[in-house]
Coordinates of all heavy atoms in Angstrom, one line a residue:
M1 N 197.0 3.3 -149.5 CA 196.7 2.5 -148.3 C 198.0 1.8 -147.8 O 198.8 1.4 -148.6 CB 195.7 1.4 -148.7 CG 194.3 1.7 -148.8 SD 193.6 2.6 -147.4 CE 192.8 1.4 -146.5
G2 N 198.1 1.7 -146.5 CA 199.3 0.9 -146.0 C 200.4 1.7 -145.4 O 200.6 1.8 -144.2
A3 N 201.1 2.5 -146.4 CA 202.2 3.2 -146.0 C 201.9 4.4 -144.9 O 202.6 4.5 -144.1 CB 203.0 3.8 -147.2
F4 N 200.9 5.2 -145.3 CA 200.5 6.2 -144.4 C 199.2 6.1 -143.7 O 198.9 6.6 -142.7 CB 200.6 7.5 -145.1 CG 202.0 7.9 -145.7 CD1 202.2 7.7 -147.1 CD2 202.9 8.3 -144.8 CE1 203.6 7.9 -147.6 CE2 204.2 8.6 -145.3 CZ 204.5 8.4 -146.8
L5 N 198.3 5.3 -144.5 CA 197.0 5.0 -143.8 C 197.0 3.6 -143.5 O 197.4 2.7 -144.3 CB 195.9 5.3 -144.8 CG 195.7 6.7 -145.2 CD1 194.7 6.9 -146.3 CD2 195.3 7.7 -144.0
P6 N 196.5 3.2 -142.3 CA 196.4 1.8 -142.0 C 195.5 1.0 -142.8 O 194.5 1.6 -143.3 CB 196.1 1.8 -140.5 CG 195.4 3.0 -140.3 CD 196.0 4.0 -141.2
R7 N 195.8 -0.2 -143.0 CA 194.8 -1.1 -143.7 C 193.8 -1.5 -142.8 O 194.1 -2.2 -141.7 CB 195.5 -2.2 -144.4 CG 196.3 -1.9 -145.5 CD 196.9 -3.2 -146.1 NE 197.8 -2.8 -147.2 CZ 198.9 -3.4 -147.5 NH1 199.3 -4.4 -146.9 NH2 199.7 -2.9 -148.5
T8 N 192.5 -1.1 -143.0 CA 191.5 -1.4 -141.9 C 191.0 -2.8 -142.2 O 191.0 -3.3 -143.3 CB 190.4 -0.3 -142.0 OG1 189.8 -0.3 -143.4 CG2 190.9 1.0 -141.7
L9 N 190.4 -3.3 -141.1 CA 189.8 -4.8 -141.2 C 188.4 -4.5 -141.8 O 187.7 -3.7 -141.4 CB 189.7 -5.3 -139.9 CG 191.1 -5.7 -139.2 CD1 190.9 -6.1 -137.9 CD2 191.9 -6.6 -140.0
K10 N 188.0 -5.3 -142.7 CA 186.8 -5.2 -143.4 C 185.8 -6.4 -142.9 O 185.6 -7.4 -143.4 CB 186.9 -5.4 -145.0 CG 187.9 -4.5 -145.5 CD 187.4 -3.1 -145.4 CE 188.4 -2.3 -146.2 NZ 188.7 -0.9 -145.7
L11 N 185.2 -6.1 -141.7 CA 184.3 -7.0 -141.1 C 183.0 -6.2 -140.7 O 183.2 -5.0 -140.2 CB 184.9 -7.7 -139.8 CG 186.1 -8.6 -140.1 CD1 186.7 -9.0 -138.7 CD2 185.6 -9.7 -140.8
P12 N 181.8 -6.8 -140.8 CA 180.6 -6.1 -140.5 C 180.6 -5.7 -139.1 O 181.1 -6.4 -138.1 CB 179.5 -7.1 -140.8 CG 180.2 -8.1 -141.7 CD 181.6 -8.0 -141.4
A13 N 180.2 -4.5 -138.7 CA 179.9 -4.0 -137.4 C 181.3 -3.7 -136.7 O 181.2 -3.5 -135.4 CB 179.1 -4.8 -136.6
L14 N 182.5 -4.0 -137.2 CA 183.6 -3.7 -136.5 C 183.9 -2.2 -136.1 O 184.7 -2.1 -135.2 CB 184.8 -4.2 -137.4 CG 186.1 -4.6 -136.6 CD1 186.0 -5.5 -135.5 CD2 187.1 -5.1 -137.6
E15 N 183.4 -1.4 -136.9 CA 183.6 0.1 -136.6 C 183.2 0.5 -135.2 O 183.6 1.3 -134.6 CB 182.8 0.9 -137.7 CG 183.4 0.9 -138.9 CD 182.6 1.6 -140.0 OE1 181.6 2.2 -139.6 OE2 183.1 1.7 -141.2
A16 N 182.2 -0.4 -134.7 CA 181.6 0.0 -133.3 C 182.8 -0.2 -132.2 O 182.7 0.4 -131.2 CB 180.5 -0.8 -133.0
F17 N 183.8 -0.9 -132.5 CA 184.9 -1.1 -131.6 C 186.2 -0.4 -131.8 O 187.0 -0.2 -130.9 CB 185.3 -2.6 -131.6 CG 184.2 -3.5 -131.3 CD1 183.4 -4.2 -132.3 CD2 183.8 -3.8 -129.9 CE1 182.4 -5.0 -132.0 CE2 182.9 -4.7 -129.6 CZ 182.1 -5.3 -130.7
E18 N 186.1 0.5 -132.9 CA 187.3 1.4 -133.2 C 187.4 2.4 -132.0 O 186.5 3.0 -131.6 CB 187.1 2.1 -134.5 CG 187.2 1.0 -135.6 CD 187.2 1.7 -136.9 OE1 187.3 3.1 -137.1 OE2 187.2 1.0 -138.0
R19 N 188.6 2.5 -131.5 CA 189.1 3.5 -130.6 C 188.7 3.2 -129.2 O 188.9 3.9 -128.2 CB 188.8 4.9 -130.9 CG 189.5 5.5 -132.1 CD 189.2 6.9 -132.5 NE 187.9 7.1 -133.0 CZ 187.3 6.8 -134.1 NH1 188.2 6.2 -135.1 NH2 186.0 6.8 -134.5
T20 N 188.1 2.0 -129.1 CA 187.7 1.5 -127.7 C 188.3 0.1 -127.5 O 189.0 0.0 -126.4 CB 186.2 1.3 -127.4 OG1 185.6 0.4 -128.4 CG2 185.4 2.7 -127.5
Q21 N 188.3 -0.8 -128.4 CA 189.0 -2.1 -128.3 C 189.8 -2.4 -129.6 O 190.7 -3.3 -129.5 CB 188.0 -3.1 -128.1 CG 187.2 -3.0 -126.9 CD 186.1 -4.2 -126.7 OE1 186.2 -5.2 -127.2 NE2 185.1 -3.8 -125.9
L22 N 189.7 -1.7 -130.7 CA 190.3 -1.9 -131.9 C 191.0 -0.6 -132.3 O 190.4 0.5 -132.4 CB 189.3 -2.1 -133.0 CG 190.0 -2.3 -134.4 CD1 190.8 -3.4 -134.5 CD2 188.8 -2.4 -135.4
F23 N 192.4 -0.7 -132.4 CA 193.1 0.5 -132.7 C 194.0 0.1 -133.9 O 194.7 -0.9 -133.9 CB 194.0 0.9 -131.5 CG 193.4 1.2 -130.3 CD1 192.8 0.2 -129.4 CD2 192.9 2.5 -129.9 CE1 192.1 0.4 -128.2 CE2 192.1 2.8 -128.8 CZ 191.8 1.8 -128.0
Y24 N 194.2 1.2 -134.8 CA 195.0 0.8 -136.0 C 196.4 1.5 -135.8 O 197.4 1.2 -136.5 CB 194.4 1.6 -137.3 CG 193.2 0.7 -137.6 CD1 191.8 1.1 -137.5 CD2 193.3 -0.5 -138.3 CE1 190.8 0.4 -137.8 CE2 192.3 -1.3 -138.5 CZ 191.0 -0.8 -138.5 OH 189.9 -1.6 -138.7
R25 N 196.5 2.4 -134.7 CA 197.8 2.9 -134.3 C 197.7 3.1 -132.8 O 196.6 3.4 -132.3 CB 198.0 4.3 -135.0 CG 198.5 4.1 -136.3 CD 199.0 5.6 -136.8 NE 199.4 5.8 -138.0 CZ 199.4 5.3 -139.2 NH1 198.7 4.3 -139.4 NH2 200.0 5.7 -140.4
I26 N 198.7 3.1 -132.1 CA 198.8 3.5 -130.6 C 199.5 4.7 -130.5 O 200.7 4.8 -131.0 CB 199.2 2.3 -129.7 CG1 200.7 2.0 -130.0 CG2 198.4 1.1 -129.9 CD1 201.2 1.1 -128.9
D27 N 199.1 5.7 -129.6 CA 199.8 6.9 -129.3 C 200.7 6.6 -128.1 O 201.7 7.2 -128.0 CB 198.8 8.1 -129.0 CG 198.0 8.4 -130.4 OD1 198.6 8.2 -131.5 OD2 196.9 8.7 -130.2
A28 N 200.2 6.0 -127.2 CA 201.0 5.7 -125.9 C 200.8 4.3 -125.5 O 199.6 3.9 -125.2 CB 200.5 6.7 -124.9
A29 N 201.9 3.6 -125.2 CA 201.7 2.2 -124.9 C 201.2 2.1 -123.5 O 200.6 1.1 -123.0 CB 203.2 1.5 -125.0
Q30 N 201.4 3.2 -122.6 CA 200.9 3.2 -121.3 C 199.3 3.0 -121.3 O 198.9 2.5 -120.3 CB 201.1 4.6 -120.6 CG 202.5 4.8 -120.4 CD 203.1 5.7 -121.5 OE1 202.9 5.5 -122.8 NE2 204.0 6.7 -121.1
N31 N 198.6 3.4 -122.3 CA 197.2 3.3 -122.2 C 196.8 1.8 -122.4 O 195.6 1.4 -122.2 CB 196.6 3.9 -123.5 CG 196.7 5.4 -123.3 OD1 197.0 5.9 -122.4 ND2 196.8 6.0 -124.6
F32 N 197.7 0.8 -122.5 CA 197.4 -0.6 -122.8 C 198.1 -1.4 -121.6 O 198.2 -2.6 -121.6 CB 197.9 -1.2 -124.2 CG 197.4 -0.4 -125.2 CD1 197.9 0.7 -125.8 CD2 196.1 -0.9 -125.7 CE1 197.1 1.4 -126.8 CE2 195.5 -0.3 -126.8 CZ 196.0 0.8 -127.5
S33 N 198.5 -0.7 -120.6 CA 199.0 -1.4 -119.5 C 198.0 -2.4 -118.8 O 196.8 -2.1 -118.7 CB 199.4 -0.4 -118.3 OG 198.5 0.3 -117.7
D34 N 198.5 -3.6 -118.5 CA 197.6 -4.5 -117.9 C 196.6 -5.2 -118.7 O 195.5 -5.5 -118.3 CB 197.2 -4.2 -116.5 CG 196.9 -5.4 -115.7 OD1 197.6 -6.4 -115.7 OD2 196.0 -5.4 -114.8
K35 N 196.7 -4.9 -120.1 CA 195.6 -5.5 -121.0 C 196.4 -6.5 -121.9 O 197.5 -6.6 -122.1 CB 195.2 -4.3 -121.9 CG 194.6 -3.1 -121.1 CD 193.5 -2.4 -121.9 CE 192.9 -1.2 -121.3 NZ 192.4 -1.3 -120.0
D36 N 195.5 -7.4 -122.4 CA 195.9 -8.4 -123.4 C 195.7 -7.8 -124.8 O 194.6 -7.3 -125.1 CB 195.0 -9.7 -123.2 CG 195.0 -10.2 -121.9 OD1 196.2 -10.6 -121.5 OD2 193.9 -10.5 -121.3
V37 N 196.8 -7.8 -125.6 CA 196.9 -7.0 -126.8 C 197.4 -8.0 -127.9 O 198.2 -8.7 -127.8 CB 197.9 -5.8 -126.7 CG1 198.0 -5.1 -128.0 CG2 197.5 -5.0 -125.5
L38 N 196.6 -7.8 -129.1 CA 197.0 -8.5 -130.3 C 197.5 -7.5 -131.3 O 196.8 -6.6 -131.6 CB 195.8 -9.2 -130.9 CG 195.9 -9.9 -132.2 CD1 196.8 -11.0 -132.2 CD2 194.6 -10.3 -132.8
V39 N 198.7 -7.7 -131.8 CA 199.3 -6.8 -132.8 C 199.2 -7.5 -134.0 O 199.8 -8.6 -134.1 CB 200.6 -6.3 -132.5 CG1 201.3 -5.4 -133.4 CG2 200.8 -5.7 -131.1
V40 N 198.7 -7.0 -135.1 CA 198.5 -7.7 -136.5 C 199.4 -7.0 -137.4 O 199.5 -5.7 -137.5 CB 197.1 -7.5 -136.9 CG1 197.0 -8.3 -138.4 CG2 196.1 -8.3 -136.0
G41 N 200.4 -7.7 -137.8 CA 201.4 -7.2 -138.9 C 202.7 -7.8 -138.7 O 203.0 -8.5 -137.7
G42 N 203.6 -7.7 -139.7 CA 204.9 -8.2 -139.7 C 206.0 -7.3 -140.1 O 207.1 -7.8 -140.3
D43 N 205.6 -6.1 -140.2 CA 206.6 -5.0 -140.7 C 207.3 -4.4 -139.4 O 206.9 -4.7 -138.3 CB 206.0 -4.1 -141.6 CG 205.0 -3.2 -141.0 OD1 204.5 -3.5 -139.9 OD2 204.4 -2.4 -141.6
D44 N 208.1 -3.5 -139.7 CA 208.8 -2.7 -138.6 C 207.9 -2.1 -137.6 O 208.1 -2.1 -136.3 CB 209.9 -1.9 -139.1 CG 211.4 -2.3 -138.8 OD1 211.5 -3.1 -137.9 OD2 212.3 -1.8 -139.4
A45 N 206.8 -1.4 -138.1 CA 205.9 -0.7 -137.4 C 205.2 -1.7 -136.4 O 205.0 -1.4 -135.1 CB 204.8 0.0 -138.2
A46 N 204.7 -2.8 -136.8 CA 204.1 -3.8 -135.9 C 205.1 -4.4 -134.9 O 204.7 -4.6 -133.7 CB 203.6 -5.0 -136.8
L47 N 206.3 -4.7 -135.4 CA 207.4 -5.2 -134.4 C 207.7 -4.2 -133.4 O 207.7 -4.5 -132.2 CB 208.6 -5.5 -135.2 CG 208.5 -6.5 -136.3 CD1 209.9 -6.8 -136.8 CD2 208.0 -7.8 -135.8
Q48 N 207.9 -2.9 -133.8 CA 208.1 -1.8 -132.8 C 206.9 -1.6 -131.8 O 207.1 -1.5 -130.6 CB 208.4 -0.6 -133.5 CG 208.9 0.6 -132.6 CD 210.2 0.2 -131.9 OE1 211.1 -0.2 -132.5 NE2 210.3 0.6 -130.6
T49 N 205.7 -1.8 -132.3 CA 204.5 -1.6 -131.4 C 204.6 -2.8 -130.4 O 204.3 -2.5 -129.2 CB 203.3 -1.7 -132.2 OG1 203.2 -0.5 -133.1 CG2 202.1 -1.7 -131.3
A50 N 204.8 -4.0 -130.9 CA 204.9 -5.2 -129.9 C 206.0 -5.0 -128.9 O 205.7 -5.3 -127.7 CB 205.0 -6.5 -130.8
L51 N 207.1 -4.5 -129.4 CA 208.2 -4.2 -128.4 C 207.9 -3.2 -127.4 O 208.1 -3.4 -126.2 CB 209.6 -3.8 -129.1 CG 210.1 -4.9 -130.0 CD1 211.2 -4.2 -130.9 CD2 210.7 -6.0 -129.2
E52 N 207.3 -2.1 -127.8 CA 206.8 -1.1 -126.8 C 205.9 -1.6 -125.8 O 205.9 -1.2 -124.7 CB 206.2 0.1 -127.5 CG 207.3 0.9 -128.4 CD 206.7 2.0 -129.1 OE1 205.5 2.3 -129.0 OE2 207.4 2.5 -130.0
L53 N 204.9 -2.5 -126.3 CA 203.9 -2.9 -125.4 C 204.5 -4.0 -124.4 O 203.9 -4.2 -123.3 CB 202.7 -3.6 -126.2 CG 201.9 -2.6 -126.9 CD1 201.0 -3.4 -128.0 CD2 201.1 -1.7 -126.0
C54 N 205.7 -4.6 -124.7 CA 206.3 -5.6 -123.8 C 207.2 -5.0 -122.8 O 207.7 -5.5 -121.8 CB 207.1 -6.6 -124.6 SG 206.0 -7.7 -125.5
Q55 N 207.5 -3.7 -123.0 CA 208.4 -3.0 -122.0 C 207.7 -2.1 -121.1 O 206.6 -1.5 -121.3 CB 209.4 -2.2 -122.8 CG 210.1 -3.1 -123.7 CD 211.0 -2.3 -124.8 OE1 210.8 -1.0 -124.9 NE2 211.9 -2.9 -125.5
R56 N 208.2 -1.9 -119.8 CA 207.7 -0.9 -118.9 C 207.9 0.5 -119.5 O 208.9 0.8 -120.1 CB 208.3 -1.0 -117.6 CG 208.1 -2.4 -117.0 CD 208.0 -2.4 -115.5 NE 207.6 -3.7 -115.0 CZ 206.4 -4.1 -114.6 NH1 205.4 -3.2 -114.8 NH2 206.1 -5.3 -114.2
Q57 N 206.9 1.3 -119.3 CA 207.0 2.7 -119.9 C 207.2 3.8 -118.9 O 206.7 3.8 -117.8 CB 205.6 2.9 -120.6 CG 205.3 1.8 -121.6 CD 206.1 1.8 -122.7 OE1 206.4 2.8 -123.3 NE2 206.5 0.7 -123.2
G58 N 207.8 4.9 -119.5 CA 207.9 6.1 -118.8 C 208.9 6.1 -117.6 O 209.4 5.1 -117.3
Q59 N 209.0 7.3 -117.0 CA 209.8 7.4 -115.8 C 209.3 6.8 -114.5 O 209.9 6.3 -113.7 CB 210.1 9.0 -115.6 CG 210.9 9.6 -116.6 CD 211.0 11.1 -116.4 OE1 210.4 11.7 -115.5 NE2 211.8 11.7 -117.1
D60 N 208.0 6.6 -114.6 CA 207.3 5.9 -113.4 C 207.3 4.4 -113.6 O 206.7 3.8 -112.8 CB 206.0 6.5 -113.1 CG 205.0 6.4 -114.3 OD1 205.4 6.0 -115.4 OD2 203.8 6.8 -114.0
H61 N 207.8 4.0 -114.7 CA 207.7 2.5 -115.0 C 206.4 1.9 -115.1 O 206.0 1.0 -114.5 CB 208.7 1.8 -114.2 CG 210.1 2.2 -114.3 ND1 210.9 1.9 -115.3 CD2 210.8 3.0 -113.4 CE1 212.1 2.5 -115.2 NE2 212.1 3.1 -114.0
T62 N 205.4 2.7 -115.8 CA 204.1 2.2 -115.8 C 204.0 0.7 -116.4 O 204.9 0.3 -117.2 CB 203.3 3.0 -116.9 OG1 203.3 4.3 -116.4 CG2 201.9 2.7 -116.9
A63 N 203.2 -0.1 -115.8 CA 203.1 -1.5 -116.2 C 202.9 -1.7 -117.7 O 202.3 -0.9 -118.3 CB 201.8 -2.1 -115.5
K64 N 203.4 -2.8 -118.1 CA 203.4 -3.1 -119.5 C 202.1 -3.9 -119.8 O 201.3 -4.1 -118.8 CB 204.6 -4.0 -119.9 CG 204.7 -5.4 -119.1 CD 205.9 -6.2 -119.4 CE 205.9 -7.4 -118.5 NZ 207.0 -8.2 -118.9
A65 N 201.9 -4.1 -121.0 CA 200.6 -5.0 -121.4 C 200.7 -6.4 -120.7 O 201.8 -6.8 -120.5 CB 200.6 -5.1 -122.8
R66 N 199.6 -6.8 -120.3 CA 199.6 -8.2 -119.6 C 200.1 -9.3 -120.5 O 200.9 -10.1 -120.0 CB 198.1 -8.5 -119.1 CG 198.0 -9.7 -118.4 CD 196.6 -10.0 -117.9 NE 195.8 -8.7 -117.7 CZ 194.6 -8.7 -117.9 NH1 193.7 -9.6 -118.2 NH2 194.1 -7.5 -117.7
S67 N 199.6 -9.3 -121.7 CA 200.1 -10.2 -122.7 C 200.1 -9.5 -124.1 O 199.3 -8.6 -124.3 CB 199.2 -11.4 -122.7 OG 198.0 -11.2 -123.3
V68 N 201.1 -9.9 -124.8 CA 201.1 -9.4 -126.3 C 201.4 -10.5 -127.2 O 202.2 -11.3 -127.0 CB 202.3 -8.4 -126.4 CG1 202.4 -7.8 -127.9 CG2 202.3 -7.2 -125.4
T69 N 200.5 -10.7 -128.3 CA 200.6 -11.6 -129.2 C 200.7 -10.9 -130.6 O 200.0 -9.9 -130.9 CB 199.2 -12.4 -129.3 OG1 199.0 -13.0 -128.1 CG2 199.3 -13.5 -130.3
L70 N 201.7 -11.3 -131.4 CA 202.0 -10.7 -132.7 C 201.5 -11.7 -133.7 O 201.9 -12.9 -133.7 CB 203.6 -10.6 -132.8 CG 204.1 -10.0 -134.0 CD1 203.5 -8.5 -134.3 CD2 205.6 -9.9 -134.1
L71 N 200.6 -11.3 -134.5 CA 200.0 -12.1 -135.5 C 200.4 -11.6 -137.0 O 200.2 -10.4 -137.3 CB 198.5 -12.1 -135.5 CG 197.6 -12.8 -136.5 CD1 197.9 -14.4 -136.3 CD2 196.2 -12.6 -136.3
H72 N 200.9 -12.5 -137.7 CA 201.4 -12.2 -139.1 C 200.9 -13.3 -140.1 O 201.0 -14.4 -139.7 CB 202.8 -11.9 -139.3 CG 203.3 -11.4 -140.5 ND1 202.7 -10.3 -141.2 CD2 204.4 -11.8 -141.3 CE1 203.3 -10.1 -142.3 NE2 204.3 -11.0 -142.4
R73 N 200.5 -13.0 -141.2 CA 200.0 -14.0 -142.2 C 201.1 -14.9 -142.8 O 200.9 -15.9 -143.5 CB 199.1 -13.4 -143.2 CG 200.0 -12.5 -144.2 CD 199.1 -11.7 -145.2 NE 199.8 -10.7 -145.7 CZ 199.4 -10.0 -146.8 NH1 198.3 -10.3 -147.3 NH2 200.1 -8.9 -147.3
R74 N 202.4 -14.4 -142.6 CA 203.5 -15.2 -143.3 C 204.3 -15.7 -142.0 O 204.3 -15.2 -140.9 CB 204.3 -14.3 -144.1 CG 203.6 -13.8 -145.4 CD 204.5 -13.1 -146.3 NE 203.7 -12.7 -147.4 CZ 203.5 -11.4 -147.7 NH1 204.1 -10.4 -146.9 NH2 202.9 -11.0 -148.7
A75 N 205.2 -16.7 -142.4 CA 206.1 -17.3 -141.4 C 207.3 -16.4 -141.0 O 207.9 -16.6 -140.0 CB 206.5 -18.7 -141.8
V76 N 207.5 -15.5 -142.0 CA 208.8 -14.6 -141.8 C 208.3 -13.2 -141.5 O 207.5 -12.6 -142.3 CB 209.7 -14.8 -143.1 CG1 210.8 -13.8 -142.9 CG2 210.1 -16.2 -143.3
L77 N 208.9 -12.5 -140.5 CA 208.8 -11.2 -140.2 C 209.7 -10.3 -141.0 O 210.8 -10.8 -141.2 CB 208.9 -10.9 -138.7 CG 207.8 -11.8 -137.8 CD1 208.2 -11.5 -136.4 CD2 206.4 -11.3 -138.1
Q78 N 209.3 -9.1 -141.3 CA 210.3 -8.2 -142.0 C 210.5 -7.0 -141.1 O 209.5 -6.2 -141.0 CB 209.6 -7.8 -143.4 CG 209.3 -9.0 -144.3 CD 208.6 -8.5 -145.6 OE1 207.9 -7.6 -145.5 NE2 208.8 -9.3 -146.6
G79 N 211.6 -6.8 -140.7 CA 211.9 -5.7 -139.9 C 213.5 -5.5 -139.8 O 214.3 -6.3 -140.4
S80 N 213.9 -4.4 -139.1 CA 215.3 -4.2 -138.9 C 215.9 -5.4 -138.1 O 215.2 -6.1 -137.3 CB 215.5 -2.9 -138.1 OG 215.1 -3.0 -136.8
D81 N 217.2 -5.6 -138.2 CA 217.8 -6.7 -137.5 C 217.7 -6.5 -136.0 O 217.5 -7.5 -135.3 CB 219.3 -6.7 -137.9 CG 219.6 -7.3 -139.3 OD1 218.7 -7.8 -139.8 OD2 220.7 -6.9 -139.7
A82 N 217.8 -5.3 -135.5 CA 217.6 -5.0 -134.1 C 216.2 -5.4 -133.6 O 216.1 -6.0 -132.5 CB 217.9 -3.5 -133.8
N83 N 215.2 -5.0 -134.4 CA 213.8 -5.3 -133.9 C 213.6 -7.0 -134.0 O 213.0 -7.5 -133.1 CB 212.8 -4.7 -134.7 CG 212.6 -3.2 -134.4 OD1 213.0 -2.8 -133.2 ND2 211.9 -2.5 -135.2
L84 N 214.0 -7.5 -135.0 CA 213.9 -9.0 -135.1 C 214.6 -9.7 -134.1 O 214.0 -10.7 -133.4 CB 214.4 -9.5 -136.5 CG 213.7 -9.1 -137.8 CD1 214.3 -9.3 -139.0 CD2 212.2 -9.7 -137.7
A85 N 215.8 -9.3 -133.7 CA 216.6 -9.8 -132.5 C 215.7 -9.7 -131.2 O 215.7 -10.6 -130.3 CB 217.9 -9.3 -132.4
A86 N 215.2 -8.5 -130.9 CA 214.4 -8.2 -129.7 C 213.1 -9.0 -129.7 O 212.8 -9.6 -128.5 CB 214.2 -6.7 -129.8
I87 N 212.5 -9.2 -130.8 CA 211.3 -10.0 -130.9 C 211.7 -11.5 -130.6 O 210.9 -12.1 -129.8 CB 210.7 -10.0 -132.3 CG1 210.0 -8.5 -132.5 CG2 209.6 -11.0 -132.4 CD1 208.8 -8.2 -131.7
D88 N 212.7 -12.0 -131.1 CA 213.2 -13.4 -130.9 C 213.4 -13.5 -129.4 O 213.1 -14.6 -128.8 CB 214.4 -13.7 -131.7 CG 214.0 -14.0 -133.1 OD1 212.8 -14.3 -133.4 OD2 214.9 -14.0 -134.0
A89 N 214.1 -12.5 -128.8 CA 214.5 -12.6 -127.3 C 213.2 -12.7 -126.5 O 213.2 -13.5 -125.5 CB 215.4 -11.4 -127.0
L90 N 212.2 -11.8 -126.8 CA 211.0 -11.8 -126.0 C 210.3 -13.2 -126.2 O 209.6 -13.6 -125.3 CB 210.1 -10.7 -126.5 CG 210.6 -9.2 -126.0 CD1 209.8 -8.3 -126.7 CD2 210.5 -9.1 -124.5
R91 N 210.3 -13.7 -127.4 CA 209.6 -15.0 -127.7 C 210.2 -16.1 -126.8 O 209.6 -16.9 -126.2 CB 209.7 -15.3 -129.2 CG 208.6 -14.7 -130.0 CD 208.7 -15.2 -131.4 NE 207.7 -14.7 -132.3 CZ 207.8 -14.6 -133.6 NH1 208.8 -15.3 -134.2 NH2 206.9 -14.1 -134.3
S92 N 211.6 -16.1 -127.0 CA 212.3 -17.2 -126.2 C 212.0 -17.1 -124.5 O 212.0 -18.1 -123.9 CB 213.9 -16.9 -126.4 OG 214.1 -17.2 -127.8
A93 N 211.9 -15.8 -124.1 CA 211.6 -15.5 -122.6 C 210.2 -15.7 -122.4 O 209.7 -15.7 -121.1 CB 212.1 -14.2 -122.4
G94 N 209.3 -16.1 -123.4 CA 207.9 -16.3 -123.1 C 207.1 -15.0 -122.8 O 206.0 -15.0 -122.4
Q95 N 207.7 -13.9 -123.2 CA 207.0 -12.6 -123.0 C 206.2 -12.1 -124.2 O 205.5 -11.2 -124.2 CB 208.1 -11.6 -122.5 CG 208.7 -11.9 -121.3 CD 209.8 -10.8 -121.1 OE1 210.4 -10.2 -121.8 NE2 210.1 -10.6 -119.7
L96 N 206.3 -12.9 -125.3 CA 205.6 -12.5 -126.5 C 205.2 -13.8 -127.2 O 206.0 -14.8 -127.4 CB 206.5 -11.7 -127.4 CG 206.0 -11.3 -128.8 CD1 204.8 -10.2 -128.6 CD2 207.1 -10.7 -129.7
R97 N 204.0 -13.8 -127.7 CA 203.5 -15.0 -128.4 C 203.5 -14.6 -129.9 O 203.2 -13.5 -130.2 CB 202.1 -15.5 -128.0 CG 202.2 -16.0 -126.5 CD 200.7 -16.5 -126.2 NE 200.4 -15.5 -125.1 CZ 199.1 -15.3 -124.9 NH1 198.2 -15.8 -125.4 NH2 198.8 -14.4 -123.8

């Protein structure tokens, strides 16, 4: 669990929302354009997902997500220096919560 399979949320009746409002992985950030998105996690994969959702996508510059919130259970994120710097910059600019 975790490294190759996402850790799923264990809440009653949550399965009804999978692949419509709840996603454990995203294939294309464009699918979330103009949506409010919550990314759960603090590792590089979660940071990269949040970064992709905050940026305009593709050659046609498809709209980014309306809002992106990164939620992690600890105060410290774990990721590459580049991703951590980019996350800090987006937070400072008010583009990421």
Side-chain angles (χ1 to χ4, degrees):
M1 277 313 256
F4 298 104
L5 296 174
R7 292 185 182 142
T8 58
L9 299 171
K10 307 294 187 219
L11 296 172
L14 197 58
E15 290 177 358
F17 298 99
E18 287 182 11
R19 293 180 296 282
T20 59
Q21 296 180 27
L22 172 66
F23 300 87
Y24 291 104
R25 286 187 173 31
I26 65 168
D27 295 326
Q30 297 95 315
N31 295 338
F32 297 90
S33 67
D34 204 34
K35 299 206 184 316
D36 298 309
V37 181
L38 172 68
V39 178
V40 179
D43 62 355
D44 247 341
L47 301 182
Q48 189 61 42
T49 297
L51 291 170
E52 289 175 14
L53 291 167
C54 286
Q55 298 167 353
R56 298 210 176 268
Q57 302 295 319
Q59 294 178 352
D60 60 353
H61 299 286
T62 304
K64 61 185 178 176
R66 181 178 332 151
S67 71
V68 180
T69 302
L70 182 61
L71 176 67
H72 185 48
R73 61 184 170 173
R74 296 188 181 113
V76 177
L77 300 172
Q78 299 174 335
S80 71
D81 290 341
N83 281 348
L84 291 170
I87 291 290
D88 285 341
L90 288 171
R91 280 183 177 163
S92 295
Q95 296 177 330
L96 176 71
R97 292 183 250 156

